[in-house]
Each structure stands twice: as structure tokens, then as C-alpha cells.
Amino acid sequence: MNGLRRWCCAIVATLALLAPAGAAAPLLDFTPEELQRIARHGPWPPPPALDPGNAVAASPAAIALGQQLFFEARLSIDGTLSCATCHQPLLAFADARRRSQGRQALDRNAPSLWNAVHERWYGWDGAADSLWAQAIRPILHAHEMDATPQHVRETIAHDTDLACRYRQAFGQPPQDDAELVLVNASKAIGAFVGTLRSGRTPFDAFRDAVARGNTKAASRYPLAAQRGLRLFVGRGNCHLCHVGPMFSNGEFGDTGLPFFVRPGVVDPGRQRGVELLRLSEYNLLSRWSDARDDAAALKTQQVMPQHRNFGEFKVPSLRNVALTAPYAHDGQLATLDEVVRHYSELNLERLHADGERILKPLHLSDGERADLVAFLQTLSDPGATAWRATRLPRCKTLTP
């Protein structure tokens, strides 16, 4: 018996001893295996992480510049869009749209940026392998901000405050090399986004209370949420993909949802994402990365497109999930109840013939669906829609 299993058995025994004789148990009688699976979804917060390939990821000056640029609409070609257009702090750094709106209507839903630094791939198709590389795509994409490297350079160089902060972050004024300025600006944005770590949730309090054998604290967790948690780590098999402190395995899967963008046009998902990643001039293997020979770049070096990846999309983190409707890569599912109903009534004919057959219809009752939703609602940090920008002091130009 391994150490974790012994720990779980000890917790079961402790809970049994603490429960008053003859009284109704305030907690479900979780099995040692269930407790093992629950324990794997923590602790929270996890150890700090930094944006890979980004030498300024921990720089306060770069983070300050990144915060300014994140909200800077002048980075877009017509001055109307910023990163915050699709990632709004009051909406948990998402936008509450089924599909986001750039200069044109986009094909996908904007994911929340909370805890993004702990993810492995970026974008629903994983076409970026770092936060800074992901930041470049919407800046340049014709359907989004539609800027050019030269436009980004001029925006920063011609603004006294931005130019000052750029110099503080990178040690010199915006260079004549416009592409270098674009990459540096994106690394600053990546450094800022890397600071967005959400707080603890009711689930985290329950998990830790159970680990300590504190039934009084654990009993504050609603019974409906406990029943939903049991489904999540048990018959529902949700934990096979939504695992770990982030409630995600960081990879991609077949959701059983239609992936038509519009009649006659499909979203190939991960298959195309791998192709774009390997073709990218800004991936972790590129000349712009500060980690070309680092272990962080191995994931990009090893990934290869496969036919089975067609129509697969990233397994999203479930942290703050109750705050980020609608759901799925293109917002097809409006509510958590619709998400649960989809997996309960899954159409097996929609799944890939050559993919991993992890998914199967759950055939949940109305009560079970409600319990699973009740559990999912406990995965959100109450402060995730209350973020406020750090008030920055006036930038003072460095003496050459």
C-alpha cells in the first residue's frame, strides 16, 4: 500500500472517530480511493510558475509595462481593441460571449486568463506554447487587433509613459527593430498575465479540512456539492481529464460536440494547432525564445500532428468555471447544467472512431445533474471578478 493510500485510510479512520455516536454523519462516507482522487485536486495555490521562454517573466518593470499594454487599445490598428476587450477583469478575464468579437466575429470563445501561467498550451487548439507567444497572435491577427510590428513599435515609442516603462523593463528605448519591440511587448504582457492567480475556493477549504480530519470545517461544505464531488471522482470519470490542482490535465480531447464553424466549414482544433505551433516564428524553439535549449522547450520539440487530433480541443481548467459561461470552444453550451446534460446524454456517434474512448453517456438523474452542478459551483474564487489594476507610480526615465 503506497503512502497516499495509507494517508487516505488514516483520514477515513479519523473521520469515523470524530463523528458523534448515533448522530447523522455530516460528511459522506468517502472511500479511500475517492479520498485519493480528491487529494489530487490540490493543494491550492500551487507552487509559483513563470512564463516559459520569457527572461523578464519575474521582472516588476516588465509586469508594470505588461499591465499598461494589456489595457492599451492603441495597440490595435484602429485604436478600438485591447487584450482586455476579450479578457475583461469584471467577467473573470473572459467576455461572456459565445464567440468573441474582434474587428470581425471570431470562431471561438475567449477563455479566462486566471491561472494561465499554470497551463501547458495556449488557445483552444494549443497553437502557442507560452503566454508571450499567445499574446502576439491576437495583436497581429487580421480578425482581431490587426496590428503590425511597426505599429506596435510606434505606439510604444511615441507615448512618453510606455516608452519610459519599456526602457525600465528592457534597459533601452524601443529599438528600431520593430519585431524585437513586438516580442518584448508581448513578453511584458505574458509577465503580467502570469501574475493572475486566483484565490482559494470552497472546494479547497473542504479538501484541506478532510486532509486534516477536521469534520467541523469539512461539514460546512454542502451535501449536494459532496454528492456531486463523488460523481466527479467516481462514476462520472470527470477526473480523468479534469485532474490536478487546475482541474485539467493540460491536454486535448474529443468533447462529442459539433465542430462546425458555419455550414461547410469545420474547426480542426488541435490538429491544426500543432501545425501552427510548429510553423510559428515565436515558439519556444525560435530565436525569440529565452529557453530554446531549456527543458521547457522539449514539449514543443516532441509534439507531432496526428489524425486523431482533428476536432480535439483543450481540456479547460474548471477553476472559476461558474463565472465564465458560456462553455466549450465556441460557447455552444450556455450554462453548467447544459454542460452536465451534454455529457449525461452524450451521442457516441459524434466521437472519433480512432480516439480514446474515455467518454460515455452518464445517464444522470435530474438530482445527480443538480449535485454535479452544485459541486462545480464550489470551484470558483469569490474574488475572481473583483480584480483591480495595480496603481502604478509615474514612470521616471532611467539615466543613460
Side-chain angles (χ1 to χ4, degrees):
M1 180 181 291
N2 61 35
L4 181 58
R5 184 171 291 276
R6 287 196 299 271
W7 173 84
C8 291
C9 289
I11 294 302
V12 171
T14 301
L15 292 178
L17 288 172
L18 291 175
L27 301 175
L28 296 184
D29 184 21
F30 289 103
T31 67
E33 184 176 24
E34 289 170 337
L35 287 171
Q36 273 189 308
R37 292 173 178 175
I38 291 169
R40 292 189 185 116
H41 291 88
W44 192 266
L50 294 174
D51 186 25
N54 186 348
V56 298
S59 161
I63 292 168
L65 172 63
Q67 177 181 289
Q68 294 287 88
L69 293 175
F70 187 87
F71 295 95
E72 182 53 76
R74 288 175 297 170
L75 286 183
S76 65
I77 197 66
D78 60 0
T80 63
L81 301 169
S82 70
C83 302
T85 300
C86 293
H87 301 285
Q88 300 175 35
L90 294 179
L91 296 174
F93 285 93
D95 65 3
R97 290 176 175 269
R98 177 175 174 178
R99 299 182 184 182
S100 292
Q101 179 68 45
R103 286 171 57 79
Q104 298 183 31
L106 306 180
D107 293 335
R108 293 177 181 164
N109 173 269
S112 171
L113 296 183
W114 279 119
N115 311 308
V117 74
H118 294 291
E119 296 184 4
R120 181 171 170 81
W121 308 103
Y122 297 95
W124 282 104
D125 58 5
D129 53 9
S130 68
L131 287 171
W132 62 269
Q134 173 62 19
I136 291 175
R137 188 196 58 77
I139 291 173
L140 300 183
H141 198 287
H143 293 175
E144 298 191 53
M145 296 167 75
D146 196 24
T148 63
Q150 189 62 32
H151 175 81
V152 171
R153 184 207 170 275
E154 290 177 358
T155 298
I156 295 173
H158 295 163
D159 181 280
T160 302
D161 187 66
L162 291 177
C164 174
R165 295 192 186 282
Y166 185 97
R167 185 169 181 172
Q168 285 189 340
F170 298 103
Q172 57 184 311
Q175 301 89 335
D176 291 336
D177 184 341
E179 190 171 18
L180 176 58
V181 175
L182 168 69
V183 171
N184 283 343
S186 298
K187 287 182 177 179
I189 293 172
F192 163 67
V193 173
T195 68
L196 301 177
R197 298 180 179 93
S198 62
R200 286 169 56 79
T201 70
F203 165 80
D204 297 315
F206 173 76
R207 175 200 175 274
D208 295 352
V210 169
R212 296 191 304 268
N214 186 339
T215 55
K216 182 177 180 180
S219 64
R220 299 189 188 108
Y221 195 57
L223 278 173
Q226 292 184 48
R227 292 193 298 266
L229 172 57
R230 170 167 276 170
L231 278 168
F232 188 91
V233 300
R235 181 162 64 88
N237 279 329
C238 312
H239 69 284
L240 296 180
C241 295
H242 295 284
V243 68
M246 283 283 285
F247 283 85
S248 171
N249 62 9
E251 293 298 331
F252 303 80
D254 186 353
T255 63
L257 288 165
F259 40 78
F260 282 92
V261 176
R262 59 190 68 85
V265 179
V266 299
D267 187 334
R270 181 56 170 162
Q271 186 183 65
R272 180 58 175 158
V274 171
E275 295 172 356
L276 293 174
L277 175 65
R278 294 182 65 85
L279 291 170
S280 173
E281 299 176 18
Y282 306 108
N283 65 32
L284 290 177
L285 303 174
S286 74
R287 66 190 180 100
W288 299 110
S289 171
D290 301 319
R292 289 191 299 276
D293 301 318
D294 191 84
L298 288 178
K299 63 180 182 182
T300 306
Q301 191 173 45
Q302 295 173 351
V303 72
M304 297 292 291
Q306 303 177 56
H307 176 70
R308 64 174 298 276
N309 294 141
F310 188 90
E312 290 186 340
F313 296 94
K314 189 168 70 175
V315 176
S317 170
L318 296 183
R319 286 197 173 266
N320 301 309
V321 68
L323 306 175
T324 56
Y327 304 103
H329 67 281
D330 59 356
Q332 292 181 47
L333 304 172
T335 66
L336 286 176
D337 183 66
E338 285 190 22
V339 174
V340 173
R341 187 184 294 272
H342 164 69
Y343 289 106
S344 177
E345 303 170 0
L346 189 69
N347 182 353
L348 291 175
E349 293 183 359
R350 290 192 179 277
L351 298 179
H352 298 173
D354 58 349
E356 293 180 85
R357 286 303 182 103
I358 294 175
L359 298 179
K360 59 182 179 180
L362 300 179
H363 303 302
L364 301 175
S365 68
D366 291 347
E368 288 173 327
R369 286 205 323 273
D371 288 342
L372 198 46
V373 170
F375 163 65
L376 294 172
Q377 289 173 333
T378 70
L379 302 183
S380 296
D381 165 24
T385 56
W387 182 90
R388 295 293 183 272
T390 300
R391 191 176 183 86
L392 301 174
R394 182 177 178 182
C395 186
K396 296 180 180 180
T397 304
L398 296 171
T399 301

